[in-house]
Amino acid sequence: MKKRKILTALGVVIIAGAAYAFYMWNKPRRDVRDEEGIKITATAIYEAFSTDEAKANTLYLNKAIQVTGEVQEVKKNDAGQTVVYLKTNDPLYGVNCTFKENPGTLANGSTITFKGICTGFLSDVIINEGVIVQ
Amino acid sequence: MKKIQLLFILLLSLQTAFSQLYITRNGLISFYSHTALEDINASNNEVASVLNSATGDFEFKVAIKSFHFKKTAMEEHFNNASYMDSEKYPRAGFKGKVTNISTVDFSKDGVYKVTVEGNLTIKDVTKPVTVNGSITVKSGAVSADAVFNVLRKDYNILGESFVQKKIAEQIQVTIKCSYDKR
């Protein structure tokens, strides 16, 4: 009788463990739409990274960022995703935003708000897995 | 003496005039790890790279957190402290030179075999590497491709002991950049 209880308990633990492992393995992708983004302008986030990258990393790296800026250029990357470069005070580089789904037509010179996940600073501030807010 | 100085200045300005920068802000880098137990791959479409067609100077930078995997769980492992530790080392990169840049005619269509020598930095570990690749010129558009292997332990990409059989020692890295002229 006691043995049976132990076996049952063991069985429950194993099933729970397997279910948890299965859940972890199939964990859904992070969706920026479910998160409150840090609101900032393209100029300000670029400035933050170019003046003090280490500090900017603690503030923005891996966070949901809701960035507003002027569209400088729109292009497609090799994966077919839409990429928008937002204008900053730097003549060459800015904020590099990759959309996870097609945002439709975006005109150069228009102002948009984009929400995505900041993955760091190269020549541009990189924000990807994003969506259009407005 | 004056003449030599003048000549020197002339030469310098000539070099500047001919030097062309090719830039991308959204190049592609991917990697592939193959073992009998598991294949792992991930890609990143935000490579920043600059190629100087006159001097052969070549560099690229990548954000580690820009690598995306099919499985979220894998992506989280990749970023954690025992692998890439991307909170601490958010960036990796290469800086070097195309040693035979003079063999590439940027004004003529073709696929040019090139050799790149330089330093690869991952997790703040810098090692010299030599990589063979190609530069393609097609109707004025310039792109660069290379495939090379990285011995992950050279860069302290260790992983937990129980997953060692699932991760190859040599990670195959593929890079592909389509440039814009600046």
Side-chain angles (χ1 to χ4, degrees), chain A residues 1 3 15 21-22 28 39 43-44 68 79 83 92-94 103 105 117 125 128-129:
Chain A
M1 195 57 195
K3 214 175 189 178
I15 290 167
F22 182 77
K39 293 181 180 68
T43 310
T68 301
V83 178
L92 290 180
Y93 295 107
T105 317
I117 296 157
V125 175
N128 64 29
E129 302 269 282

Side-chain angles (χ1 to χ4, degrees), chain A residues 24-30 53 57 61-62 72-73 75 77-79 81 83 85 92-96 98 118-124 126 128-129, chain B residues 23-28 38 45-48 50 61-66 68-76 86-87 90-92 176 178 180 182:
Chain A
M24 284 308 288
W25 189 238
N26 291 291
K27 199 176 171 184
R29 264 209 110 65
R30 181 175 176 185
E53 187 184 350
N57 275 331
L61 187 64
N62 212 23
Q72 190 167 41
E73 194 187 336
K75 61 179 280 179
N77 67 18
D78 284 290
Q81 294 165 310
V83 178
Y85 301 136
L92 290 180
Y93 295 107
V95 180
N96 185 327
T98 302
C118 179
T119 64
F121 182 59
L122 301 174
S123 308
D124 292 313
I126 311 290
N128 64 29
E129 302 269 282
Chain B
I23 289 176
T24 182
R25 298 156 81 176
N26 280 90
L28 168 67
E38 192 161 62
N45 283 286
E46 285 113 41
V47 178
V50 180
K61 293 185 275 192
V62 297
I64 302 304
K65 287 185 186 293
S66 283
H68 293 303
F69 293 67
K70 280 205 188 78
K71 292 276 183 197
T72 305
M74 261 190 195
E75 193 166 312
E76 285 175 358
S86 64
E87 291 289 327
R91 188 164 60 200
K176 179 174 176 278
S178 306
D180 291 322
R182 266 270 151 75

Side-chain angles (χ1 to χ4, degrees), chain B residues 21-179:
Chain B
L21 291 184
Y22 289 87
I23 289 176
T24 182
R25 298 156 81 176
N26 280 90
L28 168 67
I29 190 165
S30 61
F31 69 80
Y32 172 62
S33 155
H34 171 79
T35 62
L37 289 174
E38 192 161 62
D39 285 342
I40 303 165
N41 50 60
S43 59
N44 172 340
N45 283 286
E46 285 113 41
V47 178
S49 171
V50 180
L51 170 69
N52 184 321
S53 61
T55 61
D57 288 336
F58 170 77
E59 65 169 285
F60 71 80
K61 293 185 275 192
V62 297
I64 302 304
K65 287 185 186 293
S66 283
F67 280 99
H68 293 303
F69 293 67
K70 280 205 188 78
K71 292 276 183 197
T72 305
M74 261 190 195
E75 193 166 312
E76 285 175 358
H77 286 167
F78 172 77
N79 281 289
N80 81 20
S82 52
Y83 298 87
M84 297 305 290
D85 203 357
S86 64
E87 291 289 327
K88 200 170 167 194
Y89 311 106
R91 188 164 60 200
F94 173 87
K95 206 166 187 162
K97 241 178 172 36
V98 178
T99 55
N100 56 338
I101 195 74
S102 57
T103 62
V104 182
D105 185 347
F106 284 84
S107 62
K108 195 175 154 206
D109 282 9
V111 179
Y112 303 90
K113 297 271 167 232
V114 292
T115 301
V116 184
E117 278 178 21
N119 290 306
L120 181 66
T121 304
I122 306 171
K123 290 181 85 175
D124 280 3
V125 177
T126 300
K127 301 232 173 229
V129 292
T130 301
V131 170
N132 293 318
S134 62
I135 291 177
T136 304
V137 179
K138 202 181 167 193
S139 358
V142 172
S143 59
D145 291 88
V147 179
F148 57 99
N149 286 319
V150 172
L151 195 59
R152 65 182 167 92
K153 285 177 182 160
D154 277 357
Y155 299 92
N156 299 328
I157 304 162
L158 305 172
E160 298 89 347
S161 57
F162 61 90
V163 296
Q164 292 308 312
K165 282 187 177 158
K166 292 184 174 183
I167 309 172
E169 298 292 310
Q170 297 269 8
I171 308 292
Q172 188 187 77
V173 180
T174 303
I175 180 161
K176 179 174 176 278
C177 292
S178 306
Y179 293 98

Side-chain angles (χ1 to χ4, degrees), chain A residues 7 11 14 18-19 27 35 41 59 65 78-80 87-89 96-97 108 112 114 116 122 126 128 131 133-134:
Chain A
L7 275 175
I14 289 170
K27 199 176 171 184
E35 299 180 43
T41 64
L59 292 173
I65 308 291
D78 284 290
K87 213 171 178 173
T88 63
N89 289 331
N96 185 327
C97 306
N108 288 353
I112 63 162
F114 166 90
L122 301 174
I126 311 290
N128 64 29
V131 294
V133 176
Q134 65 176 22

